[in-house]
Amino acid sequence: MFLVLYLLSACTPSCEQVCEKLVACDNNGTERMPEAECTESCQEQQALYDDWTDVQKRDALDAELSCLYNSTCVEVATGRCYDEDIWAF
C-alpha cells in the first residue's frame, strides 16, 4: 500500500493541474496570464524538451512542475521553485 502511495506521489502533475493552481494562487486580481495560456505555454515547453536529447532539462521541468504543484501559494510567490536552467531570462 505504501509503495502505491509513493509511486502516485512521484508522478509529475500535468500542465493543466499546475496552471489551475497557479491561477488560483493569483486570484486577488493580479493574474499574470489566463489558465488556458499558461497550459498551452507549459505544454509547448514540454513538447520542446521531449524533442531534445538533454534528459536533465526534461527532469528539471518535471521537478519544477512538481514543486509548483506541491508548494503553497506563498512559497511559489517567493520563488521557491525557480530554476534558472529552465527560466534563464
Side-chain angles (χ1 to χ4, degrees):
M1 178 67 163
F2 290 111
L3 180 60
V4 172
L5 291 174
Y6 172 76
L7 291 174
L8 287 175
S9 68
C11 295
T12 302
S14 69
C15 288
E16 292 87 357
Q17 291 171 309
V18 173
C19 288
E20 181 178 320
K21 177 183 179 163
L22 292 176
V23 170
C25 281
D26 229 1
N27 65 1
N28 60 359
T30 60
E31 297 153 3
R32 293 187 184 139
M33 76 171 55
E35 187 175 332
E37 187 178 336
C38 173
T39 300
E40 182 180 334
S41 175
C42 176
Q43 290 171 337
E44 287 174 0
Q45 188 170 8
Q46 279 183 325
L48 175 66
Y49 284 12
D50 285 345
D51 289 342
W52 290 359
T53 57
D54 187 347
V55 176
Q56 290 178 329
K57 290 276 190 195
R58 284 187 248 158
D59 290 346
L61 180 61
D62 287 349
E64 182 184 35
L65 292 174
S66 294
C67 181
L68 289 169
Y69 187 73
N70 293 314
S71 297
T72 67
C73 293
V74 171
E75 290 171 331
V76 171
T78 60
R80 178 177 185 263
C81 302
Y82 177 76
D83 182 343
E84 68 182 24
D85 290 333
I86 294 174
W87 306 108
F89 48 90

